[in-house]
Amino acid sequence: MKTQEKHACQYPDCNKSFTRAEHLRRHALNHEQPRNGYTCERCSVHFQRSDLLGKIKGSG
């Protein structure tokens, strides 16, 4: 039985929802203005979290 996703993102046009509040908080970083984030040197995409940058680097 799948756990009900109760924590929905309130950002306009974002339909993501999460089972845990901390996952929603982590996701919300994607909607915030870039501060001291991480930028991919190959494609210039900006990430708030280094692990997400690592995923794109490892996929190419």
Side-chain angles (χ1 to χ4, degrees):
M1 181 175 184
K2 187 177 178 183
T3 304
Q4 194 72 353
E5 295 180 346
K6 298 179 181 179
H7 304 280
C9 180
Q10 300 300 309
Y11 195 82
D13 298 322
C14 184
N15 299 317
K16 294 194 176 197
S17 61
F18 303 89
T19 56
R20 301 179 71 167
E22 59 265 26
H23 293 171
L24 175 59
R25 283 191 295 273
R26 184 176 64 192
H27 164 77
L29 293 173
N30 296 318
H31 296 299
E32 293 179 5
Q33 291 296 322
R35 289 185 282 212
N36 295 325
Y38 306 89
T39 302
C40 177
E41 296 171 359
R42 292 187 312 197
C43 63
S44 299
V45 173
H46 188 83
F47 298 91
Q48 290 291 337
R49 297 174 27 216
S50 64
D51 62 317
L52 295 177
L53 173 61
K55 285 183 182 181
I56 197 169
K57 282 186 172 183
S59 68

